[in-house]
Amino acid sequence: MASISISPGRERRRITVTGVVQGVGFRPFTYALARELGLSGSVGNTSAGVVVQVEGDPTDIATFLRRLASQTPPLAIVESITFDTIPARGGTEFIIEDSVAGIGRTMVSPDVATCAECRSDLTGPAGRRHRNPFVTCTNCGPRFTIITGLPYDRPNTTMAAFPMCDSCAAEYADPADRRFHAQPICCPDCGPRLRLVRPGVESSWDEAALAEARRLLLGGAVVAVKGIGGYHLACDATDETAVQTLRKRKGRGDKPFAVMLDSLGAAQTLANVDADSAALLTGPRRPIVLVERRTDPPYPDALRLAEAVAPGGPDLGIFLPYSPLHHLLFGTQGDPPGPRALVMTSGNLAGEPIVIDDDEALVRLSGLADAWLVHDRPIQVPCDDSVVRVLDGAELPIRRSRGYAPGGLPLPIAATRPIVAAGAQLKSTFCVARGREAYLSPHLGDLESDLALRAFDADLSLFLAMLSVQPEVVAHDLHPGYLATKWALEQEAELVGVQHHHAHAAACLAEHGREGPALAVVFDGTGLGTDGTLWGGEVLRCDLRSFERVAHLEPVPLPGGEAAIREPWRMAAVYLERAGRPVTWERWPLVRESLKVNAPLSSGMGRLFDAVAALLGLRERVSYEGQAAIELEQLAGEVEAEPYGCGVSGAVIAGSDLVRAAHDDLAAGRPAAEIAAAFHEGVAAAAALACAEAAEPRTIVLSGGTFQNLRLLASSRTRLEELGFEVLTHRRVPPNDGGISYGQAAVAAARTSRLSV
Ligand code: ZN
Ligand code: ZN
Ligand code: FE
C-alpha cells in the first residue's frame, strides 16, 4: 500500500451530533457544508446520533463546527455537539454513509407540513411539480404515516410501489438537491394520482378530480378527502345546510367542528390569533389551535362561518393547510372560485379510529360522504390532527397526534428494560419506553371498539419493530374494565399497575425531566383509586415511584353510575342535597332510587364542574365527554369574581360548599357568568389551600383532564406561585387521558430501575 502523504497542519475531528438529526436532511446539510469549506471526511447515522468526520485546515474545521451548530436544517433540533481529535488520514472526498440498521434504531420523524419551497413548486410558475398534489422534499411531507418497516428508506414506505422516474431518481441521488434522499419524492410522471369517486358516476382523475371536488364542496356536498394521517370529511364551513348535514350524518351532537382556512389572514378575520398561536398555525406541525372567536368581524364582507360549525361557543378550532392537496382544494391563482373555509373533521364515526384504508373509506363513510377524493399513496399509520391550546406563550396539548407522534419524550429515570404502557380507555394512547426515551403513540380513539383495539395492536407492533424491542415490562391502569388493562394482563411480562392519577402526575413530572418528589394537583373526570372508589379531585405527594393521597374532593355518589356522567343534572341534584338545598328536578325522586343500587362513590372534579354547569342551566345532558365543563369555562370567560369559599378540613375538600354558594347566588339573581367565574376561582383557591396545608415539597404539578380548562389552570398556577410554590404544567403531553400511558411508562421505569434498590 502506498503511503499517504498528509500535509502538516491538517487536523481530523470526529463529531457526534445528537437530538432530532435523522431523517431531517442533516446528512446532506453536513455534506454541503464540508464541501463548501473544502473539508474531507464522512457523515453517517448511528444509534448515538449523526457522526461526522472532517479533515482539513483547523480554521476551516472551526468554521464548520460553528456553522454546524447555527445553520441546521429547519426540522433538525440539535441537542449536543461533542468532538474529539483523531489522526488525520488524508483524502479529498466527503462521503455520505448509508444508514446502519440494527440495535438502537431511531424513530422516524413525525409528518411535516408542506414547506414554503414546495409550496412555490406547487403554485409558482410552471415546473415539474406545478400543481402536483404530492410534492414533498427533505424538509416536508409525510413520514411516520407512510412507514411500513425499517430502516426509513423508500422500499419501507408506502411509496415503494412507485418506481422513481429518471428525473426523480437523479434528484434523489444528488446531495446538493433539496430532494436528496427524500423518501416520498415523486412527480406527475411517476407518483400517485388523484381520483374522485362518486357512487353511480364514472371516476374523474387528476385535475378533473380536483376541479370536481372543489365544485361539489362549493355546492354544499360532503366530500371525504384522503389526507396525511387519514380521511377527513370536508364541507364548506360557510354553508349552513352543508354543515348541518355533516353534523347530522356524523352523529356529532353539539361538538364543535374544526375549520381549515387557506391563510393566516383568513384565520385573523375569524379569531383573535396571538403571535404564539400564529406560529403554531403556520409551523411545521400544523395542529388545530383553539382560539377565541372574534365578535367584531373586521369588514362587512369578511368571511362568516355557518352557525352550525361551533354552536354557541366563544372558541374555535382552526388550522391551516398542511398537505399540497389542501392548498389545491382552496385553489391557486387562476382557479375558478372554491371554498374559502372548510370544515375538516376526522373521517370516522364518533369514538372510532380515523379511516385510512381506501376500500374501508368507501364502506365506513358511505352514509357520511357524497363523494371521495382519493389517491393511491396508501396511509400506513392512522394519525388524527393534533389539537392544542395556548397559555402564556406555551402549548397546552389537548390531543398529541399528527406532526408530534412519534417524537420522543424524556424519561427522567431510564428504563433498564423495554417498557410498554397500555394507557387508559378514553382518548387512548400507548407508550413504548427504552432507555431514557419514551415514544407516545398517536391518538387511538376510545379503546372501546374492535376497530380501536385493532389500531392499538397494529401501531404497537410498528413501534416495537421501529425501536427493535420486545416489551419486558408492561404498565397498566388499575381499572380492570379497561380493554387496555385486559390486554396488559395477558402479556408475558413483568406487570406494573399504576394508579390513574399517579400516572397523570408522573406524566407532568416526566415531561419536565423531573423525578419528584412533588405535590400534584390532579383534577380529572374519574379514575379508579386504590380504595376501590373512583378518584379525580386529588392532591398527591408523589415521586415517579410512589404516591400518598394528601387531600381529595369529598366523594359523592354518582346516581346511576355512567348515566350520571351523561346527565350532569344528576350530579347537581346529589350536590344540592349534600349542600342542604332543595332539588327541583321532577325526575329526581325516581333517579334518587338508583342511589340504593348503582351509585359508585366518586371524588372526580369533572363531576363537580358538571354539577355547577347543570345548576346554572347550561346543560342537563351532554353529547360528548367534558361538554358541560367546557361550556362552564366559556361562560366564565374572563369575568372577574372573588372565589367562593370552600372548606378544606383534614384531607377533604368540601365541593358542596361551592355548589351551595352557586345555588344561593343564583336564587339571589346574580348573573350566571359571575357565578361560573366565582366557582372557577373557588376551585383554584381550594387547590391552593390544600397545597398550603400539605406545605412540602415546594414543587407542584398540575394534571388531569380538568386542567384543559385554561381559566382554572391559569388561576391555580397564579395562586400557587403567590404561595411560593414552583408550578409545572403540561407542555408536551395532554393533561387528559391521552397522556396517561406516558406517565405509566415513567412510573414503571422508576419502579423497575436497577438503580432503585
Ligand atoms: Zn418541501
Ligand atoms: Zn418522477
Ligand atoms: Fe384521567
Side-chain angles (χ1 to χ4, degrees):
M1 194 176 104
S3 70
I4 302 165
S5 77
I6 299 166
S7 46
R10 258 175 97 92
E11 263 185 18
R12 190 175 183 96
R13 294 244 169 106
R14 186 176 186 279
I15 305 160
T16 304
V17 190
T18 67
V20 182
V21 287
Q22 301 186 358
V24 292
F26 206 86
R27 287 178 301 159
F29 156 71
T30 310
Y31 172 91
L33 188 57
R35 292 288 297 263
E36 187 191 325
L37 296 168
L39 300 170
S40 63
S42 65
V43 57
N45 283 333
T46 74
S47 58
V50 168
V51 174
V52 193
Q53 293 195 14
V54 281
E55 182 171 330
D57 182 79
T59 331
D60 293 333
I61 292 182
T63 309
F64 179 86
L65 278 166
R66 198 177 58 246
R67 290 177 58 186
L68 194 65
S70 60
Q71 297 178 352
T72 53
L75 299 178
I77 301 169
V78 172
E79 272 166 17
S80 73
I81 297 181
T82 51
F83 58 85
D84 45 36
T85 305
I86 56 174
R89 290 184 200 163
T92 53
E93 284 213 314
F94 192 91
I95 308 158
I96 298 185
E97 290 169 351
D98 286 335
S99 304
V100 188
I103 304 294
R105 285 165 178 167
T106 52
M107 284 295 248
V108 65
S109 149
D111 303 296
V112 184
T114 308
C115 74
E117 284 170 293
C118 283
R119 227 188 129 179
S120 51
D121 286 347
L122 184 71
T123 59
R128 265 184 7 100
R129 296 185 179 85
H130 180 62
R131 295 184 65 85
N132 178 243
F134 307 96
V135 55
T136 71
C137 71
T138 315
N139 300 325
C140 76
R143 296 284 187 279
F144 176 52
T145 52
I146 58 166
I147 192 165
T148 57
L150 275 161
Y152 175 65
D153 264 324
R154 183 137 169 141
N156 287 329
T157 69
T158 61
M159 286 300 288
F162 298 90
M164 284 179 238
C165 68
D166 290 346
S167 308
C168 286
E171 292 169 333
Y172 183 86
D174 177 4
D177 195 277
R178 198 171 97 240
R179 297 191 166 90
F180 174 71
H181 277 208
Q183 307 308 346
I185 186 178
C186 65
C187 73
D189 293 334
C190 64
R193 292 184 67 189
L194 210 56
R195 180 182 166 205
L196 190 90
V197 181
R198 284 168 85 183
V201 180
E202 195 162 333
S203 290
S204 50
W205 294 82
D206 306 320
E207 285 288 356
L210 179 66
E212 179 80 348
R214 299 182 73 234
R215 199 184 54 74
L216 284 168
L217 285 167
L218 207 55
V222 174
V223 180
V225 178
K226 188 172 179 181
I228 296 293
Y231 273 84
H232 280 117
L233 290 165
C235 76
D236 183 346
T238 65
D239 183 332
E240 198 68 55
T241 318
V243 180
Q244 264 165 15
T245 302
L246 177 56
R247 191 169 279 290
K248 212 175 300 154
R249 289 183 189 171
K250 211 186 162 187
R252 179 80 173 182
D254 300 322
K255 193 170 185 179
F257 282 125
V259 176
M260 184 180 277
L261 299 158
D262 67 343
S263 65
L264 186 59
Q268 284 162 334
T269 65
L270 289 172
N272 296 315
V273 181
D274 60 23
D276 300 302
S277 302
L280 282 165
L281 284 168
T282 56
R285 300 177 189 275
R286 303 263 162 138
I288 294 169
V289 184
L290 298 178
V291 288
E292 186 194 20
R293 247 172 133 145
R294 278 180 82 141
T295 46
D296 58 331
Y299 43 88
D301 63 340
L303 192 59
R304 278 209 177 72
L305 295 184
E307 262 306 302
V309 168
D315 291 343
L316 198 60
I318 54 175
F319 58 151
L320 298 185
Y322 55 82
S323 83
L325 182 55
H326 296 153
H327 289 291
L328 292 171
L329 273 176
F330 283 107
T332 65
Q333 236 178 3
D335 277 339
R340 296 172 69 201
L342 287 171
V343 165
M344 288 283 251
T345 185
S346 298
N348 59 359
L349 287 163
E352 285 184 357
I354 190 168
V355 177
I356 58 170
D357 182 80
D358 299 334
D359 295 332
E360 217 176 284
L362 290 174
V363 177
R364 274 173 63 198
L365 304 180
S366 60
L368 285 76
D370 301 305
W372 283 255
L373 185 60
V374 307
H375 59 72
D376 48 358
R377 180 179 71 203
I379 300 170
Q380 185 69 23
V381 186
C383 223
D384 279 86
D385 293 315
S386 294
V387 182
V388 303
R389 302 187 83 171
V390 177
L391 178 63
D392 296 338
E395 283 179 60
L396 174 68
I398 302 297
R399 183 202 286 158
R400 184 185 186 274
S401 213
R402 180 194 44 80
Y404 293 82
L409 295 160
L411 270 192
I413 298 177
T416 50
R417 285 173 289 158
I419 296 170
V420 170
Q425 179 93 340
L426 301 178
K427 304 181 166 82
S428 162
T429 59
F430 63 78
C431 183
V432 180
R434 179 191 72 179
R436 285 200 165 268
E437 284 174 326
Y439 298 93
L440 190 55
S441 77
H443 171 80
L444 299 168
D446 297 342
L447 213 52
E448 288 173 334
S449 66
D450 280 354
L451 283 171
L453 205 57
R454 253 201 304 174
F456 179 98
D457 273 335
D459 280 15
L460 181 58
S461 303
L462 179 72
F463 269 59
L464 294 175
M466 281 197 279
L467 294 164
S468 72
V469 297
Q470 281 303 312
E472 293 178 29
V473 176
V474 168
H476 61 86
D477 197 274
L478 300 182
H479 201 303
Y482 290 176
L483 286 186
T485 309
K486 289 179 180 165
W487 174 87
L489 297 179
E490 286 166 6
Q491 305 309 304
E492 283 177 27
E494 182 178 338
L495 295 177
V496 179
V498 183
Q499 197 278 325
H500 188 92
H501 304 99
H502 184 213
H504 274 305
C508 194
L509 275 173
E511 73 161 83
H512 288 276
R514 305 291 187 90
E515 296 177 30
L519 291 173
V521 179
V522 185
F523 287 169
D524 204 22
T526 47
L528 190 60
T530 51
D531 60 0
T533 69
L534 298 170
W535 294 3
E538 310 302 310
V539 180
L540 310 177
R541 185 180 285 118
C542 65
D543 58 20
L544 291 181
R545 289 189 181 82
S546 60
F547 73 95
E548 71 180 296
R549 200 182 186 199
V550 297
H552 58 87
L553 192 63
E554 183 182 16
V556 296
L558 304 186
E562 288 286 314
I565 297 174
R566 288 191 301 272
E567 299 181 18
W569 75 269
R570 295 179 183 227
M571 295 314 303
V574 161
Y575 267 111
L576 282 169
E577 273 204 352
R578 185 147 302 209
R581 293 295 184 271
V583 180
T584 52
W585 281 280
E586 280 173 13
R587 290 157 287 175
W588 179 234
L590 198 67
V591 171
R592 205 180 183 292
E593 287 298 300
S594 67
L595 292 179
K596 294 174 189 157
V597 287
N598 180 16
L601 280 178
S602 159
S603 59
M605 183 56 78
R607 304 289 82 78
L608 178 58
F609 272 76
D610 285 353
V612 174
L615 177 66
L616 295 183
L618 278 177
R619 191 144 304 267
E620 295 191 353
R621 299 180 62 90
V622 292
S623 56
Y624 61 93
E625 197 221 352
Q627 183 179 13
I630 288 169
E631 289 172 353
L632 191 63
E633 177 190 2
Q634 293 177 343
L635 178 63
E638 283 163 26
V639 174
E640 285 189 25
E642 287 298 308
Y644 286 142
C646 176
V648 180
S649 78
V652 178
I653 302 166
S656 51
D657 286 356
L658 300 172
V659 175
R660 187 181 307 112
H663 170 273
D664 294 353
D665 270 357
L666 189 65
R670 191 177 185 194
E674 284 183 27
I675 297 174
F679 168 74
H680 274 79
E681 295 308 308
V683 172
L689 192 56
C691 290
E693 278 189 8
E696 295 287 339
R698 301 304 294 168
T699 295
I700 295 181
V701 294
L702 303 179
S703 190
T706 309
F707 280 114
Q708 294 171 92
N709 182 318
L710 287 189
R711 170 145 191 170
L712 181 69
L713 184 64
S715 177
S716 302
R717 188 170 70 187
T718 306
R719 287 169 191 278
L720 288 163
E721 283 173 350
E722 280 168 7
L723 293 171
F725 287 103
E726 177 199 27
V727 181
L728 304 175
T729 62
H730 283 284
R731 293 176 170 211
R732 301 186 66 183
V733 302
N736 60 44
D737 285 5
I740 281 283
S741 61
Y742 171 58
Q744 291 171 343
V747 172
R751 286 200 193 144
T752 58
S753 160
R754 295 200 183 109
L755 302 172
S756 69
V757 246

